[in-house]
Coordinates of all heavy atoms in Angstrom, one line a residue:
A1 N 74.6 16.0 17.8 CA 74.6 17.2 16.9 C 73.2 17.9 16.9 O 72.2 17.2 17.3 CB 74.9 16.7 15.4
I2 N 73.2 19.1 16.5 CA 72.0 19.9 16.5 C 71.0 19.2 15.5 O 71.4 18.7 14.5 CB 72.2 21.4 16.1 CG1 70.9 22.2 16.3 CG2 72.9 21.5 14.7 CD1 71.2 23.7 16.1
D3 N 69.7 19.2 15.9 CA 68.7 18.6 15.0 C 68.3 19.7 13.9 O 67.8 20.7 14.2 CB 67.4 18.3 15.9 CG 66.3 17.9 15.0 OD1 66.4 17.6 13.8 OD2 65.1 17.8 15.6
P4 N 68.7 19.4 12.7 CA 68.4 20.3 11.6 C 66.9 20.6 11.4 O 66.5 21.6 10.7 CB 69.1 19.7 10.4 CG 69.2 18.3 10.6 CD 69.3 18.1 12.1
Q5 N 66.0 19.7 11.9 CA 64.6 19.9 11.8 C 64.0 20.5 13.1 O 62.8 20.4 13.4 CB 63.9 18.5 11.6 CG 64.4 17.8 10.4 CD 64.3 18.6 9.1 OE1 63.2 19.2 8.9 NE2 65.3 18.5 8.3
F6 N 64.9 21.3 13.8 CA 64.5 21.8 15.1 C 63.2 22.7 15.0 O 62.4 22.7 15.9 CB 65.6 22.6 15.8 CG 66.0 23.9 15.1 CD1 65.3 25.1 15.4 CD2 67.0 23.9 14.1 CE1 65.7 26.2 14.7 CE2 67.3 25.0 13.4 CZ 66.6 26.2 13.7
H7 N 63.1 23.4 13.9 CA 61.9 24.3 13.8 C 60.6 23.6 13.6 O 59.6 24.1 13.8 CB 62.2 25.3 12.6 CG 62.6 24.6 11.3 ND1 63.9 24.1 11.1 CD2 61.9 24.3 10.2 CE1 63.9 23.6 9.9 NE2 62.8 23.7 9.3
E8 N 60.7 22.3 13.3 CA 59.5 21.4 13.3 C 59.3 20.7 14.6 O 58.2 20.4 15.0 CB 59.5 20.5 12.1 CG 59.4 21.1 10.8 CD 59.8 20.3 9.6 OE1 59.9 19.0 9.8 OE2 60.1 20.8 8.5
N9 N 60.5 20.3 15.2 CA 60.4 19.4 16.3 C 60.4 20.1 17.7 O 60.2 19.5 18.7 CB 61.6 18.5 16.3 CG 61.6 17.5 15.1 OD1 60.5 17.2 14.6 ND2 62.8 17.1 14.7
R10 N 60.6 21.4 17.7 CA 60.6 22.2 18.9 C 59.7 23.4 18.8 O 59.3 23.8 17.8 CB 62.0 22.7 19.2 CG 63.1 21.6 19.5 CD 64.4 22.2 19.6 NE 65.4 21.2 20.0 CZ 66.2 21.3 21.0 NH1 66.1 22.3 21.9 NH2 67.1 20.4 21.3
D11 N 59.3 23.9 20.0 CA 58.5 25.1 20.1 C 59.3 26.3 20.4 O 60.3 26.3 21.1 CB 57.4 24.9 21.2 CG 56.5 23.8 20.8 OD1 56.1 23.6 19.6 OD2 56.1 23.0 21.8
Q12 N 58.8 27.5 19.9 CA 59.4 28.8 20.3 C 58.9 29.1 21.7 O 57.7 29.2 21.9 CB 59.0 29.9 19.3 CG 59.3 29.6 17.9 CD 59.0 30.8 16.9 OE1 58.7 31.9 17.4 NE2 58.9 30.5 15.7
V13 N 59.9 29.2 22.6 CA 59.5 29.4 24.0 C 59.9 30.8 24.5 O 59.5 31.2 25.6 CB 60.0 28.3 24.9 CG1 59.4 27.0 24.5 CG2 61.5 28.3 24.9
D14 N 60.8 31.5 23.8 CA 61.3 32.7 24.3 C 62.0 33.5 23.2 O 62.1 33.0 22.1 CB 62.3 32.4 25.5 CG 62.5 33.6 26.4 OD1 61.9 34.7 26.2 OD2 63.3 33.4 27.4
E15 N 62.4 34.7 23.5 CA 63.3 35.5 22.7 C 64.5 36.0 23.5 O 64.4 36.1 24.7 CB 62.6 36.7 22.1 CG 61.6 36.4 21.0 CD 61.1 37.6 20.3 OE1 61.8 38.6 20.2 OE2 59.9 37.6 20.0
H16 N 65.6 36.1 22.8 CA 66.9 36.5 23.4 C 67.7 37.3 22.4 O 67.9 36.8 21.3 CB 67.6 35.3 23.9 CG 68.9 35.6 24.5 ND1 70.2 35.2 24.0 CD2 69.3 36.3 25.7 CE1 71.1 35.6 24.8 NE2 70.6 36.3 25.8
N17 N 68.1 38.5 22.8 CA 69.0 39.3 21.9 C 68.4 39.4 20.5 O 69.2 39.4 19.5 CB 70.4 38.7 21.8 CG 71.3 39.1 22.9 OD1 71.0 40.1 23.5 ND2 72.4 38.5 23.1
G18 N 67.1 39.5 20.3 CA 66.5 39.7 19.0 C 66.3 38.4 18.2 O 65.9 38.5 17.1
H19 N 66.5 37.2 18.8 CA 66.3 36.0 18.1 C 65.4 35.0 19.0 O 65.3 35.2 20.2 CB 67.6 35.3 17.7 CG 68.6 35.1 18.8 ND1 69.7 35.9 18.9 CD2 68.6 34.3 19.8 CE1 70.4 35.5 19.9 NE2 69.7 34.6 20.5
V20 N 64.9 34.0 18.3 CA 64.1 33.0 18.9 C 64.9 32.1 19.8 O 66.0 31.7 19.4 CB 63.3 32.3 17.8 CG1 62.5 31.1 18.4 CG2 62.3 33.2 17.1
V21 N 64.2 31.6 20.9 CA 64.8 30.5 21.6 C 63.8 29.3 21.5 O 62.6 29.5 21.7 CB 64.9 30.8 23.1 CG1 65.4 29.6 23.9 CG2 65.9 32.0 23.3
W22 N 64.3 28.2 21.0 CA 63.5 27.0 20.8 C 63.7 26.0 22.0 O 64.8 25.6 22.3 CB 63.9 26.3 19.5 CG 63.9 27.2 18.3 CD1 64.8 28.1 17.9 CD2 62.8 27.2 17.3 NE1 64.4 28.7 16.8 CE2 63.2 28.2 16.4 CE3 61.6 26.6 17.2 CZ2 62.4 28.6 15.3 CZ3 60.8 26.9 16.1 CH2 61.2 27.9 15.2
G23 N 62.6 25.6 22.6 CA 62.7 24.8 23.8 C 62.9 23.4 23.6 O 63.1 23.0 22.4
P24 N 62.9 22.6 24.6 CA 62.6 22.9 26.0 C 63.7 23.7 26.7 O 64.9 23.4 26.4 CB 62.3 21.6 26.7 CG 63.1 20.6 25.9 CD 63.1 21.1 24.5
V25 N 63.3 24.6 27.6 CA 64.3 25.3 28.4 C 64.0 25.0 29.9 O 62.8 25.2 30.3 CB 64.3 26.8 28.1 CG1 65.1 27.6 29.2 CG2 64.8 27.1 26.7
D26 N 65.0 24.7 30.7 CA 64.8 24.5 32.1 C 66.1 24.9 32.7 O 67.0 24.1 32.9 CB 64.5 23.0 32.4 CG 64.2 22.8 33.9 OD1 64.1 23.8 34.6 OD2 64.2 21.6 34.3
E27 N 66.3 26.2 32.9 CA 67.5 26.8 33.4 C 67.9 26.3 34.8 O 67.0 26.1 35.6 CB 67.4 28.3 33.4 CG 67.3 28.9 32.0 CD 67.1 30.4 31.9 OE1 67.2 31.0 33.0 OE2 67.0 30.9 30.8
P28 N 69.2 26.2 35.1 CA 70.3 26.4 34.2 C 70.8 25.3 33.4 O 71.7 25.4 32.6 CB 71.4 26.9 35.2 CG 71.1 26.0 36.4 CD 69.6 25.9 36.4
E29 N 70.2 24.1 33.6 CA 70.7 22.9 33.0 C 70.4 22.7 31.5 O 71.1 22.0 30.7 CB 70.3 21.6 33.7 CG 70.8 21.5 35.2 CD 69.8 22.1 36.1 OE1 68.8 22.7 35.7 OE2 70.1 22.1 37.3
E30 N 69.2 23.2 31.1 CA 68.7 23.0 29.8 C 68.3 24.3 29.1 O 67.5 25.1 29.7 CB 67.4 22.1 29.8 CG 67.0 21.5 28.5 CD 65.8 20.5 28.7 OE1 65.1 20.6 29.6 OE2 65.8 19.6 27.8
L31 N 69.0 24.7 28.0 CA 68.9 26.0 27.5 C 68.3 26.1 26.1 O 68.1 27.2 25.6 CB 70.3 26.7 27.5 CG 71.0 26.8 28.9 CD1 72.4 27.3 28.8 CD2 70.1 27.7 29.8
G32 N 68.1 25.0 25.4 CA 67.5 25.0 24.1 C 68.4 25.5 23.0 O 69.6 25.5 23.2
I33 N 67.7 25.9 21.9 CA 68.4 26.3 20.7 C 68.2 27.8 20.5 O 67.0 28.2 20.6 CB 68.0 25.5 19.4 CG1 68.4 24.1 19.5 CG2 68.4 26.2 18.2 CD1 67.9 23.2 18.4
H34 N 69.3 28.6 20.3 CA 69.2 30.0 20.1 C 69.3 30.3 18.6 O 70.3 29.9 18.0 CB 70.2 30.8 20.9 CG 69.9 30.9 22.3 ND1 69.9 32.1 23.0 CD2 69.5 30.0 23.2 CE1 69.6 31.9 24.3 NE2 69.3 30.6 24.4
G35 N 68.4 31.1 18.0 CA 68.5 31.5 16.7 C 67.7 30.6 15.7 O 67.3 29.5 16.1
T36 N 67.5 31.2 14.5 CA 66.7 30.4 13.5 C 67.6 30.3 12.2 O 67.8 29.1 11.8 CB 65.4 31.1 13.2 OG1 64.7 31.2 14.4 CG2 64.6 30.3 12.2
H37 N 68.0 31.4 11.6 CA 68.8 31.2 10.4 C 70.2 30.7 10.8 O 70.7 29.8 10.1 CB 69.0 32.6 9.7 CG 69.8 32.4 8.5 ND1 69.4 31.8 7.3 CD2 71.1 32.8 8.2 CE1 70.4 31.8 6.4 NE2 71.4 32.4 6.9
V38 N 70.7 31.2 11.8 CA 71.9 30.7 12.5 C 71.5 30.1 13.8 O 71.2 30.9 14.7 CB 73.1 31.7 12.6 CG1 74.3 31.1 13.3 CG2 73.4 32.3 11.3
A39 N 71.5 28.8 14.0 CA 70.9 28.2 15.2 C 72.1 27.5 15.9 O 72.8 26.8 15.4 CB 69.9 27.2 14.8
V40 N 72.2 27.8 17.2 CA 73.2 27.2 18.1 C 72.5 26.4 19.2 O 71.6 27.0 19.9 CB 74.1 28.2 18.7 CG1 75.1 27.5 19.6 CG2 74.8 29.1 17.7
D41 N 72.7 25.1 19.3 CA 72.2 24.3 20.3 C 73.0 24.5 21.6 O 74.1 24.0 21.7 CB 72.2 22.8 20.0 CG 71.3 22.0 20.9 OD1 71.3 22.3 22.1 OD2 70.7 21.0 20.4
F42 N 72.5 25.3 22.5 CA 73.2 25.7 23.7 C 73.5 24.4 24.6 O 74.4 24.5 25.4 CB 72.5 26.7 24.5 CG 72.7 28.2 24.1 CD1 73.2 28.5 22.9 CD2 72.5 29.2 25.1 CE1 73.4 29.8 22.5 CE2 72.8 30.5 24.7 CZ 73.2 30.8 23.4
D43 N 72.7 23.4 24.4 CA 72.9 22.2 25.3 C 74.0 21.3 24.7 O 74.5 20.4 25.4 CB 71.6 21.5 25.4 CG 70.6 22.3 26.2 OD1 71.0 22.8 27.3 OD2 69.5 22.5 25.7
I44 N 74.5 21.6 23.5 CA 75.6 20.9 22.9 C 76.9 21.7 22.9 O 78.0 21.2 23.1 CB 75.3 20.5 21.4 CG1 74.1 19.5 21.4 CG2 76.5 19.9 20.7 CD1 73.6 19.2 20.0
C45 N 76.8 23.0 22.7 CA 78.0 23.9 22.7 C 78.8 23.8 24.0 O 78.2 23.8 25.1 CB 77.5 25.4 22.6 SG 78.8 26.6 22.7
L46 N 80.1 23.6 23.8 CA 81.0 23.5 24.9 C 82.0 24.6 24.9 O 83.1 24.4 25.5 CB 81.6 22.1 25.0 CG 82.1 21.4 23.8 CD1 83.2 22.1 23.1 CD2 82.5 19.9 24.1
A47 N 81.7 25.7 24.3 CA 82.5 26.9 24.3 C 83.8 26.8 23.7 O 84.8 27.3 24.1 CB 82.6 27.4 25.8
D48 N 83.9 26.0 22.6 CA 85.2 25.8 21.9 C 85.7 27.2 21.3 O 86.9 27.5 21.4 CB 84.9 24.9 20.7 CG 86.2 24.7 19.8 OD1 87.0 23.9 20.2 OD2 86.3 25.4 18.8
G49 N 84.8 28.0 20.8 CA 85.1 29.3 20.4 C 85.5 29.5 18.9 O 85.7 30.6 18.4
A50 N 85.7 28.4 18.2 CA 86.1 28.4 16.8 C 85.1 29.2 15.9 O 85.5 30.0 15.0 CB 86.2 27.0 16.2
C51 N 83.8 29.1 16.2 CA 82.8 29.9 15.5 C 83.0 31.4 15.6 O 83.0 32.1 14.7 CB 81.4 29.5 15.9 SG 81.0 29.7 17.6
L52 N 83.3 31.8 16.9 CA 83.5 33.3 17.1 C 84.8 33.7 16.4 O 84.8 34.8 15.8 CB 83.7 33.6 18.6 CG 82.4 33.8 19.4 CD1 81.9 32.6 20.1 CD2 82.6 35.0 20.3
E53 N 85.8 32.9 16.4 CA 87.1 33.3 15.7 C 86.9 33.3 14.2 O 87.5 34.2 13.6 CB 88.2 32.3 16.1 CG 88.6 32.4 17.5 CD 89.6 31.3 17.9 OE1 90.3 30.8 17.0 OE2 89.8 31.0 19.1
D54 N 86.2 32.4 13.6 CA 86.2 32.2 12.2 C 85.1 33.0 11.5 O 85.2 33.2 10.3 CB 86.1 30.8 11.9 CG 87.4 30.0 12.2 OD1 88.4 30.7 12.7 OD2 87.5 28.8 12.0
C55 N 84.0 33.3 12.1 CA 82.9 34.0 11.4 C 83.4 35.3 10.8 O 83.8 36.2 11.6 CB 81.7 34.2 12.3 SG 80.4 35.0 11.4
P56 N 83.3 35.5 9.5 CA 83.8 36.7 8.9 C 83.0 37.9 9.1 O 83.5 39.1 8.9 CB 83.8 36.4 7.4 CG 82.8 35.3 7.2 CD 82.8 34.5 8.5
V57 N 81.8 37.8 9.6 CA 80.9 38.9 9.9 C 80.5 39.0 11.3 O 79.5 39.8 11.6 CB 79.7 38.9 8.9 CG1 80.2 39.2 7.5 CG2 78.9 37.6 9.0
D58 N 81.2 38.3 12.2 CA 81.0 38.4 13.7 C 79.5 38.3 14.1 O 78.9 39.1 14.8 CB 81.5 39.8 14.2 CG 83.0 39.9 14.0 OD1 83.7 38.9 14.1 OD2 83.5 41.1 13.9
V59 N 78.9 37.1 13.6 CA 77.6 36.8 14.0 C 77.5 36.5 15.5 O 76.5 36.8 16.1 CB 77.0 35.6 13.2 CG1 75.8 35.0 13.8 CG2 76.7 36.1 11.7
F60 N 78.5 35.9 16.1 CA 78.4 35.3 17.4 C 79.0 36.2 18.5 O 80.0 37.0 18.3 CB 79.2 34.0 17.5 CG 78.7 33.0 16.5 CD1 79.4 32.8 15.3 CD2 77.6 32.2 16.7 CE1 79.0 31.9 14.3 CE2 77.1 31.3 15.7 CZ 77.8 31.1 14.5
E61 N 78.4 36.2 19.7 CA 78.9 36.8 20.9 C 78.8 35.8 22.0 O 77.8 35.1 22.1 CB 78.0 38.1 21.2 CG 78.1 39.2 20.2 CD 77.2 40.3 20.5 OE1 76.5 40.3 21.5 OE2 77.1 41.3 19.7
W62 N 79.7 35.9 22.9 CA 79.6 35.1 24.1 C 78.5 35.5 25.1 O 78.3 36.7 25.2 CB 81.0 35.1 24.9 CG 82.1 34.4 24.3 CD1 83.3 35.0 24.0 CD2 82.2 33.0 24.0 NE1 84.2 34.1 23.5 CE2 83.5 32.8 23.5 CE3 81.4 31.9 24.1 CZ2 84.0 31.6 23.0 CZ3 81.8 30.7 23.7 CH2 83.1 30.5 23.2
V63 N 77.8 34.6 25.6 CA 76.9 34.8 26.7 C 77.2 33.9 27.9 O 77.6 32.8 27.6 CB 75.4 34.7 26.3 CG1 75.0 35.7 25.2 CG2 75.1 33.3 25.9
E64 N 77.0 34.4 29.1 CA 77.3 33.6 30.3 C 76.2 32.7 30.5 O 75.0 33.1 30.5 CB 77.5 34.6 31.4 CG 78.6 35.6 31.3 CD 80.0 35.0 31.2 OE1 80.3 34.2 32.0 OE2 80.8 35.4 30.3
T65 N 76.5 31.4 30.8 CA 75.5 30.4 31.2 C 75.9 29.6 32.4 O 76.1 28.4 32.3 CB 75.2 29.5 30.0 OG1 76.5 28.8 29.6 CG2 74.7 30.2 28.8
P66 N 76.0 30.3 33.5 CA 76.5 29.6 34.7 C 75.6 28.5 35.1 O 74.4 28.6 35.1 CB 76.5 30.7 35.8 CG 75.6 31.8 35.3 CD 75.7 31.7 33.8
G67 N 76.2 27.4 35.5 CA 75.5 26.2 35.9 C 75.1 25.2 34.8 O 74.5 24.2 35.1
H68 N 75.4 25.5 33.6 CA 75.2 24.6 32.5 C 76.2 23.5 32.5 O 77.4 23.7 32.6 CB 75.1 25.2 31.1 CG 74.6 24.3 30.1 ND1 75.4 23.5 29.3 CD2 73.3 24.0 29.7 CE1 74.6 22.8 28.5 NE2 73.4 23.1 28.7
P69 N 75.8 22.2 32.4 CA 76.8 21.1 32.5 C 77.8 21.0 31.5 O 78.9 20.6 31.7 CB 75.9 19.8 32.5 CG 74.6 20.3 32.0 CD 74.4 21.7 32.3
E70 N 77.6 21.6 30.2 CA 78.6 21.5 29.2 C 79.6 22.6 29.3 O 80.8 22.4 29.0 CB 78.0 21.5 27.8 CG 77.2 20.2 27.4 CD 78.2 19.0 27.3 OE1 79.4 19.2 27.1 OE2 77.7 17.9 27.5
S71 N 79.2 23.8 29.5 CA 80.1 25.0 29.6 C 79.3 26.2 30.2 O 78.1 26.2 30.0 CB 80.6 25.3 28.2 OG 79.6 25.6 27.3
E72 N 80.1 27.1 30.7 CA 79.5 28.2 31.4 C 79.5 29.5 30.5 O 79.2 30.6 31.0 CB 80.1 28.5 32.8 CG 80.0 27.2 33.6 CD 79.9 27.5 35.1 OE1 80.5 28.4 35.6 OE2 79.2 26.7 35.8
E73 N 79.7 29.3 29.2 CA 79.4 30.4 28.3 C 79.1 29.7 27.0 O 79.5 28.5 26.7 CB 80.6 31.4 28.1 CG 81.9 30.7 27.7 CD 83.0 31.7 27.7 OE1 82.8 32.9 27.8 OE2 84.2 31.3 27.4
K74 N 78.3 30.4 26.1 CA 77.8 29.9 24.9 C 78.0 30.9 23.8 O 78.0 32.1 24.0 CB 76.3 29.5 25.0 CG 76.0 28.6 26.1 CD 76.5 27.2 26.0 CE 76.2 26.3 27.2 NZ 76.8 25.0 27.1
A75 N 78.1 30.4 22.5 CA 78.2 31.3 21.4 C 76.8 31.6 20.9 O 76.0 30.8 20.4 CB 78.9 30.6 20.2
D76 N 76.4 32.9 21.2 CA 75.0 33.3 20.9 C 75.0 34.0 19.5 O 75.8 34.8 19.2 CB 74.6 34.3 21.9 CG 73.2 34.6 21.9 OD1 72.4 33.7 21.8 OD2 72.8 35.8 22.2
P77 N 74.1 33.5 18.6 CA 74.0 34.1 17.3 C 73.3 35.5 17.3 O 72.3 35.7 16.7 CB 73.2 33.1 16.5 CG 72.3 32.5 17.5 CD 73.1 32.5 18.8
A78 N 74.0 36.4 18.0 CA 73.4 37.7 18.3 C 73.1 38.5 17.0 O 72.2 39.4 16.9 CB 74.3 38.5 19.2
N79 N 73.9 38.3 16.0 CA 73.8 39.1 14.7 C 73.5 38.1 13.6 O 74.1 38.2 12.5 CB 75.1 39.8 14.5 CG 75.6 40.7 15.6 OD1 74.8 41.5 16.1 ND2 76.8 40.5 16.1
E80 N 72.5 37.2 13.8 CA 72.3 36.2 12.7 C 71.8 36.8 11.4 O 72.0 36.2 10.3 CB 71.3 35.1 13.2 CG 69.9 35.6 13.4 CD 68.9 34.5 13.7 OE1 69.3 33.3 13.6 OE2 67.7 34.8 14.0
T81 N 71.2 38.0 11.4 CA 70.8 38.6 10.2 C 72.0 39.1 9.3 O 71.8 39.3 8.1 CB 69.9 39.9 10.5 OG1 70.7 40.8 11.2 CG2 68.6 39.5 11.2
Q82 N 73.2 39.1 9.9 CA 74.4 39.5 9.1 C 75.0 38.3 8.4 O 75.9 38.5 7.6 CB 75.4 40.1 10.0 CG 75.0 41.3 10.8 CD 74.5 42.4 9.9 OE1 75.3 42.8 9.0 NE2 73.3 42.9 10.1
C83 N 74.5 37.1 8.6 CA 75.1 35.9 8.1 C 75.2 35.9 6.6 O 74.2 36.2 5.9 CB 74.4 34.7 8.6 SG 74.9 33.1 8.0
I84 N 76.3 35.5 6.0 CA 76.5 35.4 4.6 C 76.6 34.0 4.1 O 77.0 33.7 2.9 CB 77.8 36.2 4.1 CG1 79.0 35.7 4.8 CG2 77.6 37.7 4.4 CD1 80.3 36.2 4.3
D85 N 76.1 33.0 4.9 CA 76.0 31.6 4.5 C 77.3 31.0 4.0 O 77.3 30.1 3.2 CB 74.9 31.5 3.4 CG 73.6 31.9 3.9 OD1 73.3 32.0 5.1 OD2 72.7 32.1 3.0
C86 N 78.4 31.4 4.6 CA 79.7 30.8 4.2 C 79.9 29.4 4.8 O 80.8 28.6 4.3 CB 80.9 31.7 4.7 SG 81.2 31.7 6.4
M87 N 79.2 29.0 5.8 CA 79.2 27.7 6.4 C 80.4 27.4 7.2 O 80.6 26.3 7.7 CB 78.9 26.6 5.4 CG 77.6 26.8 4.6 SD 76.1 27.1 5.6 CE 75.6 25.4 5.9
L88 N 81.3 28.3 7.4 CA 82.5 28.1 8.2 C 82.2 27.6 9.6 O 82.9 26.7 10.1 CB 83.4 29.4 8.2 CG 84.5 29.5 7.2 CD1 85.2 30.9 7.5 CD2 85.5 28.4 7.4
C89 N 81.3 28.3 10.2 CA 81.0 27.9 11.6 C 80.5 26.5 11.7 O 80.9 25.8 12.6 CB 80.0 28.9 12.2 SG 78.4 29.0 11.3
V90 N 79.7 26.1 10.8 CA 79.2 24.7 10.8 C 80.3 23.7 10.6 O 80.4 22.7 11.3 CB 78.2 24.5 9.6 CG1 77.7 23.1 9.5 CG2 76.9 25.4 9.9
D91 N 81.3 24.1 9.8 CA 82.4 23.2 9.5 C 83.4 23.1 10.7 O 84.0 22.0 11.0 CB 83.2 23.7 8.3 CG 82.4 23.5 7.0 OD1 81.4 22.7 7.0 OD2 82.7 24.1 6.0
V92 N 83.6 24.2 11.4 CA 84.6 24.2 12.5 C 84.1 23.8 13.9 O 85.0 23.4 14.7 CB 85.3 25.6 12.6 CG1 86.1 25.9 11.3 CG2 84.4 26.7 13.0
C93 N 82.9 23.8 14.1 CA 82.4 23.5 15.4 C 82.7 22.0 15.7 O 82.2 21.1 15.0 CB 80.9 23.7 15.6 SG 80.3 23.2 17.3
P94 N 83.4 21.7 16.7 CA 83.9 20.3 17.0 C 82.7 19.4 17.4 O 82.9 18.1 17.4 CB 84.9 20.4 18.1 CG 84.6 21.7 18.8 CD 84.0 22.6 17.7
V95 N 81.6 20.0 17.9 CA 80.5 19.1 18.4 C 79.2 19.3 17.6 O 78.1 18.9 18.0 CB 80.2 19.4 19.9 CG1 81.4 18.8 20.7 CG2 80.1 20.9 20.1
D96 N 79.3 20.0 16.4 CA 78.2 20.1 15.5 C 77.0 20.8 16.2 O 75.9 20.3 16.1 CB 77.8 18.8 14.9 CG 78.8 18.3 13.9 OD1 79.5 19.1 13.3 OD2 78.9 17.1 13.7
A97 N 77.3 21.9 16.9 CA 76.2 22.5 17.7 C 75.5 23.6 16.8 O 74.5 24.1 17.3 CB 76.8 23.2 18.9
I98 N 76.0 23.8 15.6 CA 75.4 25.0 14.8 C 74.8 24.4 13.5 O 75.3 23.6 12.8 CB 76.6 25.9 14.4 CG1 77.4 26.4 15.6 CG2 76.0 27.1 13.6 CD1 78.6 27.2 15.3
D99 N 73.6 25.0 13.2 CA 72.9 24.7 11.9 C 72.7 26.1 11.3 O 72.2 27.0 11.9 CB 71.6 24.0 12.2 CG 70.9 23.7 10.9 OD1 71.3 22.8 10.1 OD2 69.9 24.4 10.6
V100 N 73.1 26.2 10.0 CA 72.8 27.4 9.2 C 71.9 27.0 8.1 O 72.3 26.1 7.3 CB 74.1 28.0 8.7 CG1 73.8 29.2 7.7 CG2 75.0 28.5 9.9
D101 N 70.8 27.6 8.0 CA 69.8 27.3 6.9 C 70.2 28.2 5.7 O 69.7 29.3 5.6 CB 68.4 27.6 7.4 CG 67.4 27.3 6.3 OD1 67.8 26.7 5.3 OD2 66.2 27.7 6.5
A102 N 71.0 27.7 4.8 CA 71.4 28.5 3.7 C 70.4 28.4 2.5 O 70.6 29.0 1.5 CB 72.8 28.0 3.2
G103 N 69.2 27.8 2.8 CA 68.2 27.8 1.8 C 68.5 26.8 0.7 O 68.4 27.0 -0.4
Ligands
SF4_201 FE1 79.2 33.4 10.2 FE2 79.5 32.0 7.9 FE3 78.5 30.9 10.1 FE4 77.0 32.7 8.8 S1 77.7 30.7 8.0 S2 77.3 32.6 11.0 S3 78.7 34.1 8.1 S4 80.6 31.6 9.9
F3S202 FE1 80.2 26.4 20.8 FE2 80.9 25.1 18.6 FE3 81.1 27.7 18.7 S1 81.2 24.4 20.7 S2 81.5 28.1 20.8 S3 79.2 26.5 18.9 S4 82.5 26.3 17.7
ZN203 ZN1 70.5 34.0 22.3

């Protein structure tokens, strides 16, 4: 599962689609965590898609990640500022790849 303390245990190494990427990153096999308020561990996500289907405010968008061992697309929290903290995505992800900091 995603480390809920990622913001203490990892470093900001990049930005993508307006959000932070938390390392380590070593493409294409290691992609890190995307987002801060809505954080997706790209190295755990296996492209189940439930988060995209269920998010009521369409926070997530698919991004292509060719060559990653778990899946070749990931749910990117492209619109994390729209999140209403309903926690549905956290509940439905089968591999606990998502952390939402609801404060
Ligand atoms: Fe969307 Fe709710 Fe997840 Fe926020 S907590 S990203 S609103 S499903
Ligand atoms: Fe990935 Fe979990 Fe969404 S596996 S696509 S973050 S439901
Ligand atoms: Zn991203």
Side-chain angles (χ1 to χ4, degrees):
I2 187 171
D3 174 10
Q5 305 301 320
F6 69 88
H7 48 283
E8 291 163 16
N9 295 335
R10 293 173 177 239
D11 295 322
Q12 303 184 17
V13 297
D14 203 356
E15 282 187 37
H16 177 246
N17 273 346
H19 51 254
V20 171
V21 179
W22 304 82
V25 170
D26 184 14
E27 295 179 2
E29 296 91 358
E30 193 172 28
L31 299 175
I33 290 175
H34 283 230
T36 300
H37 180 72
V38 179
V40 180
D41 192 324
F42 273 25
D43 295 308
I44 296 175
C45 173
L46 39 64
D48 176 83
C51 59
L52 274 97
E53 288 174 23
D54 289 0
C55 178
V57 291
D58 294 332
V59 162
F60 304 99
E61 293 177 3
W62 289 121
V63 295
E64 304 292 313
T65 57
H68 190 269
E70 288 296 336
S71 59
E72 301 212 325
E73 57 183 356
K74 306 293 177 182
D76 194 38
N79 306 307
E80 69 172 352
T81 58
Q82 302 301 308
C83 176
I84 57 171
D85 298 345
C86 72
M87 307 308 274
L88 263 177
C89 59
V90 172
D91 291 342
V92 296
C93 178
V95 288
D96 291 332
I98 307 173
D99 181 73
V100 173
D101 178 13

